[in-house]
PDB file of all heavy atoms in Angstrom:
ATOM      1  N   ILE A 213    -118.788 168.322 100.083  1.00 98.00           N
ATOM      2  CA  ILE A 213    -118.132 167.085 100.181  1.00 98.00           C
ATOM      3  C   ILE A 213    -118.851 166.023  99.394  1.00 98.00           C
ATOM      4  O   ILE A 213    -119.947 166.298  98.713  1.00 98.00           O
ATOM      5  CB  ILE A 213    -117.859 166.562 101.678  1.00 98.00           C
ATOM      6  CG1 ILE A 213    -119.172 166.311 102.325  1.00 98.00           C
ATOM      7  CG2 ILE A 213    -117.135 167.613 102.370  1.00 98.00           C
ATOM      8  CD1 ILE A 213    -119.036 165.828 103.760  1.00 98.00           C
ATOM      9  N   ARG A 214    -118.277 164.847  99.204  1.00 98.00           N
ATOM     10  CA  ARG A 214    -118.898 163.890  98.303  1.00 98.00           C
ATOM     11  C   ARG A 214    -119.098 162.484  99.001  1.00 98.00           C
ATOM     12  O   ARG A 214    -118.281 162.127  99.809  1.00 98.00           O
ATOM     13  CB  ARG A 214    -118.032 163.714  97.036  1.00 98.00           C
ATOM     14  CG  ARG A 214    -116.701 163.247  97.372  1.00 98.00           C
ATOM     15  CD  ARG A 214    -115.881 163.418  96.086  1.00 98.00           C
ATOM     16  NE  ARG A 214    -114.469 163.175  96.302  1.00 98.00           N
ATOM     17  CZ  ARG A 214    -113.673 162.784  95.456  1.00 98.00           C
ATOM     18  NH1 ARG A 214    -114.064 162.602  94.227  1.00 98.00           N
ATOM     19  NH2 ARG A 214    -112.443 162.591  95.637  1.00 98.00           N
ATOM     20  N   ALA A 215    -120.265 161.831  98.650  1.00 98.00           N
ATOM     21  CA  ALA A 215    -120.529 160.583  99.303  1.00 98.00           C
ATOM     22  C   ALA A 215    -121.397 159.668  98.417  1.00 98.00           C
ATOM     23  O   ALA A 215    -122.144 160.181  97.636  1.00 98.00           O
ATOM     24  CB  ALA A 215    -121.305 160.954 100.634  1.00 98.00           C
ATOM     25  N   THR A 216    -121.193 158.358  98.679  1.00 98.00           N
ATOM     26  CA  THR A 216    -121.986 157.258  97.979  1.00 98.00           C
ATOM     27  C   THR A 216    -122.806 156.581  99.102  1.00 98.00           C
ATOM     28  O   THR A 216    -122.006 156.026 100.054  1.00 98.00           O
ATOM     29  CB  THR A 216    -121.127 156.408  97.110  1.00 98.00           C
ATOM     30  OG1 THR A 216    -120.486 157.108  96.268  1.00 98.00           O
ATOM     31  CG2 THR A 216    -122.059 155.348  96.485  1.00 98.00           C
ATOM     32  N   ASP A 217    -124.044 156.428  99.118  1.00 98.00           N
ATOM     33  CA  ASP A 217    -124.783 155.716 100.010  1.00 98.00           C
ATOM     34  C   ASP A 217    -124.994 154.363  99.456  1.00 98.00           C
ATOM     35  O   ASP A 217    -125.790 154.390  98.337  1.00 98.00           O
ATOM     36  CB  ASP A 217    -126.140 156.425 100.406  1.00 98.00           C
ATOM     37  CG  ASP A 217    -126.613 156.133 101.744  1.00 98.00           C
ATOM     38  OD1 ASP A 217    -125.983 155.334 102.560  1.00 98.00           O
ATOM     39  OD2 ASP A 217    -127.693 156.637 102.105  1.00 98.00           O
ATOM     40  N   LEU A 218    -124.563 153.241  99.985  1.00 98.00           N
ATOM     41  CA  LEU A 218    -124.770 152.064  99.365  1.00 98.00           C
ATOM     42  C   LEU A 218    -125.956 151.378 100.049  1.00 98.00           C
ATOM     43  O   LEU A 218    -125.781 150.851 101.152  1.00 98.00           O
ATOM     44  CB  LEU A 218    -123.447 151.131  99.378  1.00 98.00           C
ATOM     45  CG  LEU A 218    -122.362 151.692  98.624  1.00 98.00           C
ATOM     46  CD1 LEU A 218    -121.061 150.826  98.832  1.00 98.00           C
ATOM     47  CD2 LEU A 218    -122.649 151.668  97.143  1.00 98.00           C
ATOM     48  N   ASN A 219    -127.084 151.365  99.464  1.00 98.00           N
ATOM     49  CA  ASN A 219    -128.368 150.768 100.173  1.00 98.00           C
ATOM     50  C   ASN A 219    -128.279 149.225  99.893  1.00 98.00           C
ATOM     51  O   ASN A 219    -128.835 148.724  98.913  1.00 98.00           O
ATOM     52  CB  ASN A 219    -129.584 151.401  99.639  1.00 98.00           C
ATOM     53  CG  ASN A 219    -129.841 152.620 100.291  1.00 98.00           C
ATOM     54  OD1 ASN A 219    -129.204 153.073 101.360  1.00 98.00           O
ATOM     55  ND2 ASN A 219    -130.700 153.454  99.722  1.00 98.00           N
ATOM     56  N   GLN A 220    -127.583 148.599 100.836  1.00 98.00           N
ATOM     57  CA  GLN A 220    -127.241 147.136 100.671  1.00 98.00           C
ATOM     58  C   GLN A 220    -128.537 146.306 101.115  1.00 98.00           C
ATOM     59  O   GLN A 220    -129.172 146.543 102.095  1.00 98.00           O
ATOM     60  CB  GLN A 220    -126.045 146.873 101.561  1.00 98.00           C
ATOM     61  CG  GLN A 220    -125.587 145.518 101.379  1.00 98.00           C
ATOM     62  CD  GLN A 220    -124.140 145.155 101.753  1.00 98.00           C
ATOM     63  OE1 GLN A 220    -123.222 144.917 100.956  1.00 98.00           O
ATOM     64  NE2 GLN A 220    -123.973 145.234 103.063  1.00 98.00           N
ATOM     65  N   GLY A 221    -128.678 145.278 100.418  1.00 98.00           N
ATOM     66  CA  GLY A 221    -129.697 144.188 100.828  1.00 98.00           C
ATOM     67  C   GLY A 221    -129.049 143.251 101.955  1.00 98.00           C
ATOM     68  O   GLY A 221    -128.057 143.565 102.461  1.00 98.00           O
ATOM     69  N   VAL A 222    -129.692 142.177 102.015  1.00 98.00           N
ATOM     70  CA  VAL A 222    -129.267 141.059 102.973  1.00 98.00           C
ATOM     71  C   VAL A 222    -128.025 140.397 102.447  1.00 98.00           C
ATOM     72  O   VAL A 222    -128.168 139.816 101.257  1.00 98.00           O
ATOM     73  CB  VAL A 222    -130.404 140.145 103.386  1.00 98.00           C
ATOM     74  CG1 VAL A 222    -130.000 139.187 104.571  1.00 98.00           C
ATOM     75  CG2 VAL A 222    -131.652 140.752 103.769  1.00 98.00           C
ATOM     76  N   VAL A 223    -126.946 140.369 103.108  1.00 98.00           N
ATOM     77  CA  VAL A 223    -125.700 139.744 102.661  1.00 98.00           C
ATOM     78  C   VAL A 223    -125.688 138.221 103.132  1.00 98.00           C
ATOM     79  O   VAL A 223    -126.003 137.925 104.232  1.00 98.00           O
ATOM     80  CB  VAL A 223    -124.476 140.427 103.171  1.00 98.00           C
ATOM     81  CG1 VAL A 223    -123.133 139.768 102.649  1.00 98.00           C
ATOM     82  CG2 VAL A 223    -124.448 141.937 102.924  1.00 98.00           C
ATOM     83  N   TYR A 224    -125.348 137.406 102.067  1.00 98.00           N
ATOM     84  CA  TYR A 224    -125.229 135.954 102.491  1.00 98.00           C
ATOM     85  C   TYR A 224    -123.805 135.473 102.055  1.00 98.00           C
ATOM     86  O   TYR A 224    -123.082 136.204 101.357  1.00 98.00           O
ATOM     87  CB  TYR A 224    -126.271 135.061 101.852  1.00 98.00           C
ATOM     88  CG  TYR A 224    -126.371 135.107 100.337  1.00 98.00           C
ATOM     89  CD1 TYR A 224    -125.360 134.317  99.640  1.00 98.00           C
ATOM     90  CD2 TYR A 224    -127.162 135.945  99.604  1.00 98.00           C
ATOM     91  CE1 TYR A 224    -125.474 134.354  98.186  1.00 98.00           C
ATOM     92  CE2 TYR A 224    -127.160 135.968  98.319  1.00 98.00           C
ATOM     93  CZ  TYR A 224    -126.362 135.150  97.553  1.00 98.00           C
ATOM     94  OH  TYR A 224    -126.262 135.177  96.162  1.00 98.00           O
ATOM     95  N   GLY A 225    -123.502 134.190 102.525  1.00 98.00           N
ATOM     96  CA  GLY A 225    -122.112 133.624 102.106  1.00 98.00           C
ATOM     97  C   GLY A 225    -121.174 133.966 103.282  1.00 98.00           C
ATOM     98  O   GLY A 225    -121.489 134.566 104.308  1.00 98.00           O
ATOM     99  N   LEU A 226    -119.982 133.604 103.049  1.00 97.00           N
ATOM    100  CA  LEU A 226    -118.938 133.769 104.176  1.00 97.00           C
ATOM    101  C   LEU A 226    -117.587 133.993 103.516  1.00 97.00           C
ATOM    102  O   LEU A 226    -116.792 134.767 103.837  1.00 97.00           O
ATOM    103  CB  LEU A 226    -119.002 132.440 104.977  1.00 97.00           C
ATOM    104  CG  LEU A 226    -117.769 132.291 105.963  1.00 97.00           C
ATOM    105  CD1 LEU A 226    -117.848 133.353 106.995  1.00 97.00           C
ATOM    106  CD2 LEU A 226    -117.850 130.845 106.596  1.00 97.00           C
TER     107      LEU A 226
END
Side-chain angles (χ1 to χ4, degrees):
I213 64 174
R214 53 188 175 163
T216 302
D217 208 1
L218 297 174
N219 280 346
Q220 185 164 246
V222 186
V223 182
Y224 61 80
L226 168 66

